[in-house]
């Protein structure tokens, strides 16, 4: 399961009816964007990119070119 909140493309909207959004796929919905993508396409989200903070927590060296 993809955790949208750990993705660089995830954001919180100001719309109470569609509070979650994805900049990569231009989605705003009540459900997590990854669930919308899964229900519409039947596949997991292909646009997931881990936030830099989460990369650092995972022990990745952000100065290493192999991580980019």
């Amino acid at each position: 399961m993809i955790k949208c909140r750990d993705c660089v493309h995830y954001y919180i909207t100001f719309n109470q009816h569609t509070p979650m959004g994805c900049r990569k796929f231009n989605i705003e919905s009540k459900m997590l964007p990854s669930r919308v993508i899964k229900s519409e396409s039947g596949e997991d989200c292909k646009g997931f990119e881990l936030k830099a903070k989460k990369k650092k927590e995972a022990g990745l060296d952000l100065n290493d070119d192999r991580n980019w």
Side-chain angles (χ1 to χ4, degrees):
M1 183 70 179
I2 294 187
K3 295 181 181 179
C4 289
R5 290 179 178 93
D6 293 341
C7 182
V8 296
H9 305 292
Y10 177 78
Y11 68 101
I12 303 297
T13 71
F14 290 101
N15 187 339
Q16 67 181 0
H17 301 292
T18 57
M20 296 176 247
C22 175
R23 289 184 183 93
K24 176 93 175 184
F25 294 107
N26 199 25
I27 296 172
E28 289 186 0
S29 72
K30 261 189 175 170
M31 297 189 311
L32 286 171
S34 63
R35 290 186 184 246
V36 173
I37 291 169
K38 180 79 170 180
S39 68
E40 294 294 322
S41 69
E43 296 181 10
D44 288 332
C45 177
K46 304 288 188 214
F48 178 82
E49 293 178 42
L50 193 61
K51 289 181 181 177
K53 180 180 177 185
K54 295 292 181 178
K55 284 182 186 177
K56 188 174 182 181
E57 289 173 2
L60 296 176
D61 182 7
L62 297 179
N63 295 317
D64 188 351
D65 290 336
R66 292 176 293 172
N67 293 326
W68 299 102

